[in-house]
Amino acid sequence: MSEPLIFELSREGKRGYTFPECDVPESPLASLIGTRHLRREPAALPELAEIDVIRHFTRISRLNFCVDTHFYPLGSCTMKYNPKVNEKIAALVGFSQLHPLQPPQTVQGMLRLLFELEHLLCEITGMDAFTLQPAAGAHGELVGMMIARAYFARAGEPGRNIVLIPDSGHGTNPSSAALYGFEVQGLASDASGRVDVKQLGAALTPRVAALMLTNPNTLGLFEKDISSIAGLLHDNGSLFYCDGANLNALVGLAKPGDMGIDILHTNMHKTFSTPHGGGGPGAGPVGVKKKLAPFLPVPRVRRDDARGTYFFDGVGAGDSVGRVHAFYGNAGVLLKAYAYIRALGAEGLRQVALDAVLNANYLKELVSACFDIPYNSGPCMHEFVLSAARQKEHGVSALDIAKALIDRGFHPPTVYFPLIVKEALMIEPTETETKETLDTFARVLCEIAQAAEHSPGTLTNVTPHTTPVSRLDEVSAARKPVLTWCAESGREEKDSASGRQRR
Ligand SMILES: *Cc1c(COP(=O)(O)O)cnc(C)c1O
């Protein structure tokens, strides 16, 4: 990883391959191509030996920091190992070569699978019906807001335009609500890091459409008052939206639907076998209770029970919010989720949640002497949030610690989120890591904490040393990423190519 990344390898006159002289007459058809379409000058391609091309791309491919190479405790993202067999299943030609416009009678297997996945998700979450269309968690949130708006319009209450969101909420929550025209009102957390029920009660007016709550929340805490929260909302005629991205902590153990949730989004690309991050395809199915089912996007897959066949239903029907994705969603991601759920079964899924919570608590105990843990009144769920406030007194920030971890072979945790923790380091080990990995990570993290006190100069603004570029302009890297390189744009541009923290 430490060698400098040189992009401009081209040397004039070098050749990787030379074509033989053309020994057949030029086709008369060539004259049919207008001269303006014919190339007049050779293409400006890099000139170099074939082996150097191979080495260049292989070297770049190995710079990728991923779950398959390193521990990746990025809080809230559930970066767990996903069994490769699920990729193989999704790649079977019987699935991957389907065309979305094939007549339904020729794609019965795929329809059955989508139908069964919807019902498995209902079983797992306690919701009554799901749409599989949304492409991500944030997309699911938007669809949830569309459903809430449609529901209140139907109920003759279009004036309900406020969505309440706790200050520990994921950034996508207020964005999704605001994007769909709701007024966002924040709720401060109580001293334990949970929803302040009294404050919620005071905020409930006839204008409140919904509360958007993450459970377990982004501090890794279960919202213990969830039943009374649901009661308060329903007494006020409001809906209860749950951000279910943290389902990994509950799967197989507890059902959001039993907690009074009306609308729930889930992240297949966190909980059910697709890695999260990197901008790849995802799926954020949205589940609802019965009274909201008519508002779900269309088309929906249904079964003709008499014939035992599957079909698409309700194109543009009734109260539906309509289509929210081309065709039926990201089918490959849905397939992997289906394969994962079927392979693990109810017992296996339960074990996922138990081990995810056990690993997080084990790791929290190991590092608790080295860092402050602000909201720590008991065991956590699947993740926990450290504060580097103590280290910051010596000039070493959460960012410095994150960067120092890269040099030591670990992906950094999520930093500076949730916003209510100073110098936050949000750590989610997931169920797939071994005790040995957790032990090593804890030892390294505590060594960095010690270095922060005794030799802060080795950490402040200098790490990482082992990557092609060290400190990035993180804002430009996120807002104006340069993801390709071309000869004309020169060498500098490649430097800002990445560095985005995803949650
Ligand atoms: C990941 C996450 C989201 C957003 O999901 P995307 O698929 O990245 O859009 C929302 N809320 C929480 C709590 C999350 O962890």
Side-chain angles (χ1 to χ4, degrees), residues 17 126 146 150 275 278 371 426 428 477 501:
Y17 189 78
M146 293 165 77
F371 288 90
M426 184 193 210
E428 181 180 11
Q501 290 264 345

PDB file of all heavy atoms in Angstrom, residues 17 126 146 150 275 278 371 426 428 477 501:
ATOM      1  N   TYR A  17       0.881  -4.330 -28.148  1.00  0.00           N
ATOM      2  CA  TYR A  17       0.488  -5.303 -29.162  1.00  0.00           C
ATOM      3  C   TYR A  17       0.563  -4.622 -30.519  1.00  0.00           C
ATOM      4  O   TYR A  17       0.235  -3.440 -30.644  1.00  0.00           O
ATOM      5  CB  TYR A  17      -0.948  -5.786 -28.915  1.00  0.00           C
ATOM      6  CG  TYR A  17      -1.324  -6.951 -29.790  1.00  0.00           C
ATOM      7  CD1 TYR A  17      -0.880  -8.236 -29.477  1.00  0.00           C
ATOM      8  CD2 TYR A  17      -2.070  -6.760 -30.950  1.00  0.00           C
ATOM      9  CE1 TYR A  17      -1.192  -9.302 -30.290  1.00  0.00           C
ATOM     10  CE2 TYR A  17      -2.386  -7.833 -31.775  1.00  0.00           C
ATOM     11  CZ  TYR A  17      -1.944  -9.104 -31.430  1.00  0.00           C
ATOM     12  OH  TYR A  17      -2.240 -10.166 -32.239  1.00  0.00           O
ATOM     13  N   GLY A 126     -42.773  -8.287  11.519  1.00  0.00           N
ATOM     14  CA  GLY A 126     -44.096  -8.092  12.097  1.00  0.00           C
ATOM     15  C   GLY A 126     -44.928  -7.043  11.360  1.00  0.00           C
ATOM     16  O   GLY A 126     -45.949  -6.591  11.892  1.00  0.00           O
ATOM     17  N   MET A 146     -43.849   9.434   1.392  1.00  0.00           N
ATOM     18  CA  MET A 146     -44.891   9.505   0.359  1.00  0.00           C
ATOM     19  C   MET A 146     -46.158   8.797   0.839  1.00  0.00           C
ATOM     20  O   MET A 146     -47.279   9.276   0.635  1.00  0.00           O
ATOM     21  CB  MET A 146     -44.394   8.850  -0.952  1.00  0.00           C
ATOM     22  CG  MET A 146     -43.258   9.603  -1.621  1.00  0.00           C
ATOM     23  SD  MET A 146     -42.405   8.612  -2.892  1.00  0.00           S
ATOM     24  CE  MET A 146     -43.572   8.704  -4.224  1.00  0.00           C
ATOM     25  N   ALA A 150     -49.810  10.442   1.502  1.00  0.00           N
ATOM     26  CA  ALA A 150     -50.992   9.920   0.802  1.00  0.00           C
ATOM     27  C   ALA A 150     -52.074   9.493   1.799  1.00  0.00           C
ATOM     28  O   ALA A 150     -53.274   9.719   1.590  1.00  0.00           O
ATOM     29  CB  ALA A 150     -50.598   8.749  -0.096  1.00  0.00           C
ATOM     30  N   PRO A 275     -22.936  -6.169   0.743  1.00  0.00           N
ATOM     31  CA  PRO A 275     -22.131  -5.197   1.478  1.00  0.00           C
ATOM     32  C   PRO A 275     -22.675  -3.790   1.280  1.00  0.00           C
ATOM     33  O   PRO A 275     -23.141  -3.451   0.191  1.00  0.00           O
ATOM     34  CB  PRO A 275     -20.744  -5.326   0.853  1.00  0.00           C
ATOM     35  CG  PRO A 275     -20.770  -6.547   0.018  1.00  0.00           C
ATOM     36  CD  PRO A 275     -22.184  -6.848  -0.319  1.00  0.00           C
ATOM     37  N   GLY A 278     -19.655   2.019  -0.929  1.00  0.00           N
ATOM     38  CA  GLY A 278     -19.069   1.951  -2.259  1.00  0.00           C
ATOM     39  C   GLY A 278     -20.025   2.347  -3.360  1.00  0.00           C
ATOM     40  O   GLY A 278     -19.691   2.293  -4.531  1.00  0.00           O
ATOM     41  N   PHE A 371     -11.121   5.039  26.564  1.00  0.00           N
ATOM     42  CA  PHE A 371     -11.898   6.142  25.993  1.00  0.00           C
ATOM     43  C   PHE A 371     -13.094   6.484  26.885  1.00  0.00           C
ATOM     44  O   PHE A 371     -13.584   5.633  27.623  1.00  0.00           O
ATOM     45  CB  PHE A 371     -12.448   5.756  24.605  1.00  0.00           C
ATOM     46  CG  PHE A 371     -11.401   5.688  23.545  1.00  0.00           C
ATOM     47  CD1 PHE A 371     -10.725   4.494  23.304  1.00  0.00           C
ATOM     48  CD2 PHE A 371     -11.078   6.805  22.789  1.00  0.00           C
ATOM     49  CE1 PHE A 371      -9.740   4.424  22.335  1.00  0.00           C
ATOM     50  CE2 PHE A 371     -10.099   6.738  21.810  1.00  0.00           C
ATOM     51  CZ  PHE A 371      -9.431   5.541  21.580  1.00  0.00           C
ATOM     52  N   MET A 426     -17.837   5.834  16.220  1.00  0.00           N
ATOM     53  CA  MET A 426     -18.992   4.924  16.294  1.00  0.00           C
ATOM     54  C   MET A 426     -18.593   3.565  15.736  1.00  0.00           C
ATOM     55  O   MET A 426     -18.260   3.440  14.555  1.00  0.00           O
ATOM     56  CB  MET A 426     -20.104   5.546  15.456  1.00  0.00           C
ATOM     57  CG  MET A 426     -21.397   4.821  15.476  1.00  0.00           C
ATOM     58  SD  MET A 426     -22.389   5.507  14.148  1.00  0.00           S
ATOM     59  CE  MET A 426     -24.011   5.289  14.819  1.00  0.00           C
ATOM     60  N   GLU A 428     -19.097  -0.530  15.085  1.00  0.00           N
ATOM     61  CA  GLU A 428     -20.024  -1.663  14.908  1.00  0.00           C
ATOM     62  C   GLU A 428     -19.234  -2.869  14.421  1.00  0.00           C
ATOM     63  O   GLU A 428     -18.881  -2.955  13.246  1.00  0.00           O
ATOM     64  CB  GLU A 428     -21.121  -1.305  13.878  1.00  0.00           C
ATOM     65  CG  GLU A 428     -22.105  -2.442  13.679  1.00  0.00           C
ATOM     66  CD  GLU A 428     -23.212  -2.124  12.676  1.00  0.00           C
ATOM     67  OE1 GLU A 428     -23.115  -1.102  11.976  1.00  0.00           O
ATOM     68  OE2 GLU A 428     -24.159  -2.918  12.599  1.00  0.00           O
ATOM     69  N   ALA A 477     -13.514  16.013  -1.524  1.00  0.00           N
ATOM     70  CA  ALA A 477     -13.517  14.602  -1.901  1.00  0.00           C
ATOM     71  C   ALA A 477     -14.941  14.057  -1.934  1.00  0.00           C
ATOM     72  O   ALA A 477     -15.280  13.213  -2.758  1.00  0.00           O
ATOM     73  CB  ALA A 477     -12.659  13.804  -0.925  1.00  0.00           C
ATOM     74  N   GLN A 501     -16.545   9.216   3.744  1.00  0.00           N
ATOM     75  CA  GLN A 501     -17.039   8.325   4.799  1.00  0.00           C
ATOM     76  C   GLN A 501     -18.514   8.064   4.534  1.00  0.00           C
ATOM     77  O   GLN A 501     -19.287   8.986   4.419  1.00  0.00           O
ATOM     78  CB  GLN A 501     -16.926   9.020   6.153  1.00  0.00           C
ATOM     79  CG  GLN A 501     -15.509   9.200   6.616  1.00  0.00           C
ATOM     80  CD  GLN A 501     -15.088   8.100   7.550  1.00  0.00           C
ATOM     81  OE1 GLN A 501     -15.916   7.370   8.054  1.00  0.00           O
ATOM     82  NE2 GLN A 501     -13.814   7.966   7.764  1.00  0.00           N
TER      83      GLN A 501
END
